[in-house]
Amino acid sequence: MKLLSIALKDLQILFKSRGEVIQLFLMPLLFIIVFSGALGAIGGGEEDTRITLPVVDLDGGEAAQSLLAGIDAGGEVRTELFEHSEAQTLLEENEIQRMLVIPADFTSGTAQGSTVQLSLISHPDADLQETEAMRLVIVGVTSELALERQILASLRQMGDMQAVVSEEEQAFTTERILAQARSQFERAQAQPLIEVLQTVPSQEGEREEMPDFEVVAVAGIAVLFVFGTAQVTARSIYDEKKVGSFHRLLAAPMSKASLLSGKMLPNIIVGLIQFTVIFAFGIFGLKWLGLASPSLGNDPLAVVPVCFIICLCSTAFGILIAAIARTENQIGGITSLLVWGLGIVGGAFIPIFILDQFLGPVVKIIPQYWANRALSSLMLRGLGLADVVTEIAVLLGFTAIFFIIGLWRFDFD
């Protein structure tokens, strides 16, 4: 009962401070908006990095459409249609560096087996390597298209030759032969018989897929600000010592460990509220703002105990700060160094696998790293609670160490 009384009193004092409420609940949301918006502007979303090829289609027929579709399907070049006069003017003014002109007789000429000519016109200042790359793409697509047309023409001739035979002796009609051939061409495009798989050896082993940094920021900023409640815990104890109310608490019939546990309880509650507000804003608020938003993973309930343990570790860290700091300035300085500095290095804004790659085992001595690693596994990788047992154990270990050292070094006088 004494623990609840201490916790209720601290919560009332905390929520009366407008500055504390803004720092604990509104500041992380502003961080998320600014960080997510900045990253979205720099490199967020799916950016089309293909080389643009302006095209003047004077034909507009089936063969021209197949040619454009084949070029776009290659993945390296993206076609963009222009009127002939407009493209010519832009090319002369070097607004575009090259253009492909499809002649008016392209479809009819290819159907009849005649020679047709495509024109790839480049500006004198155009990049020669890009122009050559585009030429090779166009040559490759036109070669496939020409081969397809020749096969269809041959099959059509075979069908015409078979037309003189009675229907009973015909194995297939011309229409059935052509339909079957076109079906095979389409299937070859979707499911080629031969595929080339390119791999790049890496000494670091298999790399994880790069997630949206906006999504990483939500979990990272949540951990950063929840560990910021360590300063609230330390300052609450310092203020009570300053006004003398802490000595009255010592006179109560309770152990020193129970007293410090009572000082931890309100900040655990505050940390859980922080997680709730930040995750709710990340899931619904960012989506409403048109930015990438996270999810709670495949096992949302697993996030709850992990968040509770993170809050417990953060509050025990606050007890440690209160034990080693003797003045209000020392509390602020230690918090800035240990909570904010180590929090950023521990994965507030950087994906965990990048930290592992560039900082190695150094980050594993930081509790925020294990907190971010647990949330990253649940929310980004879709793992379950059983997969983050190691992270939970390490966080509980940090919690015990912080509390024991804090209890040992704490000045109760």
Side-chain angles (χ1 to χ4, degrees):
M1 194 64 183
K2 290 287 186 181
L3 295 180
L4 294 178
S5 299
I6 295 173
L8 182 60
K9 175 180 64 67
D10 286 351
L11 287 174
Q12 290 175 342
I13 295 174
L14 175 64
F15 284 105
K16 284 182 180 179
S17 174
R18 185 176 301 176
E20 294 285 1
V21 172
I22 291 175
Q23 179 180 344
L24 293 174
F25 299 104
L26 295 183
M27 283 293 291
L29 306 188
L30 294 177
F31 266 64
I32 292 173
I33 292 174
V34 173
F35 191 73
S36 299
L39 288 177
I42 293 173
E46 295 286 336
E47 182 180 358
D48 193 346
T49 59
R50 295 177 295 173
I51 305 173
T52 300
L53 174 61
V55 176
V56 176
D57 184 7
L58 301 178
D59 180 81
E62 178 188 352
Q65 296 300 318
S66 299
L67 173 64
L68 297 179
I71 294 174
D72 287 330
E76 299 176 356
V77 178
R78 177 177 63 88
T79 59
E80 184 175 352
L81 293 175
F82 286 85
E83 295 293 333
H84 197 182
S85 57
E86 178 188 8
Q88 187 65 42
T89 301
L90 293 174
L91 184 65
E92 293 173 356
E93 296 175 353
N94 201 19
E95 294 294 330
I96 58 175
Q97 294 191 325
R98 60 193 66 81
M99 66 177 182
L100 174 66
V101 179
I102 302 176
D105 60 345
F106 186 73
T107 297
S108 59
T110 55
Q112 297 171 4
S114 304
T115 301
V116 292
Q117 188 175 40
L118 297 171
S119 299
L120 180 61
I121 307 171
S122 302
H123 190 275
D125 296 332
D127 186 287
L128 295 179
Q129 290 183 343
E130 286 190 1
T131 302
E132 179 62 15
M134 288 188 177
R135 189 190 70 82
L136 292 176
V137 171
I138 295 170
V139 168
V141 175
T142 53
S143 298
E144 293 180 2
L145 185 62
L147 178 60
E148 178 181 331
R149 295 282 170 169
Q150 290 173 0
I151 293 175
L152 290 176
S154 299
L155 292 175
R156 187 176 289 107
Q157 290 178 358
M158 291 177 59
D160 293 341
M161 292 172 59
Q162 197 176 217
V164 298
V165 183
S166 62
E167 293 185 3
E168 291 78 7
E169 297 179 358
Q170 289 185 21
F172 296 100
T173 63
T174 302
E175 289 75 13
R176 291 183 63 184
I177 293 175
L178 296 178
Q180 180 65 24
R182 291 192 178 97
S183 174
Q184 289 296 109
F185 291 141
E186 293 175 359
R187 182 178 179 183
Q189 292 292 331
Q191 300 177 343
L193 294 178
I194 301 175
E195 293 183 342
V196 178
L197 177 62
Q198 179 180 353
T199 58
V200 180
S202 173
Q203 294 181 350
E204 288 80 13
E206 184 179 356
R207 295 177 60 91
E208 296 187 34
E209 182 181 355
M210 182 71 72
D212 289 330
F213 281 97
E214 301 97 317
V215 178
V216 174
V218 173
I221 290 174
V223 171
L224 179 67
F225 277 87
V226 167
F227 266 87
T229 59
Q231 181 176 3
V232 177
T233 304
R235 185 172 294 171
S236 172
I237 295 174
Y238 174 82
D239 290 340
E240 292 212 25
K241 283 186 175 182
K242 187 176 180 180
V243 300
S245 60
F246 192 78
H247 293 285
R248 292 194 295 271
L249 290 175
L250 286 174
M254 60 189 309
S255 65
K256 295 178 179 179
S258 298
L259 174 59
L260 292 184
S261 299
K263 300 298 294 182
M264 292 174 61
L265 183 57
N267 290 297
I268 294 175
I269 297 174
V270 170
L272 291 174
I273 297 174
Q274 281 182 292
F275 270 123
T276 302
V277 171
I278 293 172
F279 285 165
F281 178 80
I283 295 172
F284 302 106
L286 290 182
K287 184 179 295 184
W288 181 73
L289 292 173
L291 299 172
S293 59
S295 69
L296 295 181
N298 297 329
D299 188 6
L301 292 179
V303 177
V304 177
V306 170
C307 289
F308 175 79
I309 293 170
I310 294 173
C311 295
L312 185 64
C313 184
S314 164
T315 309
F317 196 34
I319 297 294
L320 176 62
I321 294 175
I324 61 179
R326 292 293 179 264
T327 66
E328 187 173 1
N329 289 335
Q330 287 181 359
I331 291 175
I334 293 173
T335 302
S336 298
L337 175 63
L338 298 182
V339 173
W340 297 97
L342 295 181
I344 294 174
V345 177
F349 308 117
I350 305 172
I352 293 300
F353 74 89
I354 294 181
L355 291 175
D356 289 335
Q357 180 179 349
F358 289 98
L359 298 182
V362 176
V363 293
K364 295 185 179 180
I365 63 174
I366 302 174
Q368 291 94 324
Y369 164 82
W370 294 97
N372 282 306
R373 179 167 160 171
L375 290 179
S376 176
S377 297
L378 295 176
M379 298 174 62
L380 299 180
R381 299 173 60 193
L383 302 181
L385 188 61
D387 300 302
V388 293
V389 171
T390 301
E391 289 81 355
I392 291 174
V394 173
L395 287 171
L396 289 175
F398 274 115
T399 301
I401 292 172
F402 294 154
F403 187 79
I404 292 172
I405 296 177
L407 182 63
W408 171 50
R409 297 283 297 174
F410 197 87
D411 183 10
F412 288 95
D413 298 326

